[in-house]
Every structure is written in C-alpha cells, then in structure tokens.
Amino acid sequence: MAKKRPDRDLEKTYPRKDFVAKLRRLADAIEADKPFSIQVAGERLHIPASALFNIEHEREGGVDELEFQLRWKRD
C-alpha cells in the first residue's frame, strides 16, 4: 500500500537557466508522449504521459500571473 503524502501548496523560484532547462525537459517529454520526473523543494514528482495540461492567467492588484499546469491522479 502506497504511503499517503500530505497535502502541500508551495511556490519555488528558480534561476532563469534552471527554469529554462526544466521547461525544455518537460517539453521534450510531452512531445515524445513520455512521463516526466522533476524534484521540487525536495520532493520527487513523477508525471505520467497521460497528464492533463492547462494554462491559467490571473490578474489581481496590478499583478499578472501565468501558470502552466499539469494535473494527474496518483496511483
């Protein structure tokens, strides 16, 4: 039985070079219809090729935010 992981909601800032490298690896995995793994703030995430993708735009108090989101169900 898989160990239940606690809920979490965090934001991690990366230097531009690291962010670009992560995006490039993600784009390559999506294009090849392959799963993608990434470590965020010490936790390794495994995103299946079947993940759903969306883009979210928020605007509040003079600040715009653009999020590229991947959503999947854990086993």
Side-chain angles (χ1 to χ4, degrees), residues 30-50:
I30 292 169
E31 188 172 52
D33 197 26
K34 294 191 173 192
F36 177 74
S37 291
I38 187 171
Q39 187 165 324
V40 179
E43 184 174 332
R44 170 94 23 212
L45 303 172
H46 302 284
I47 298 97
S50 61

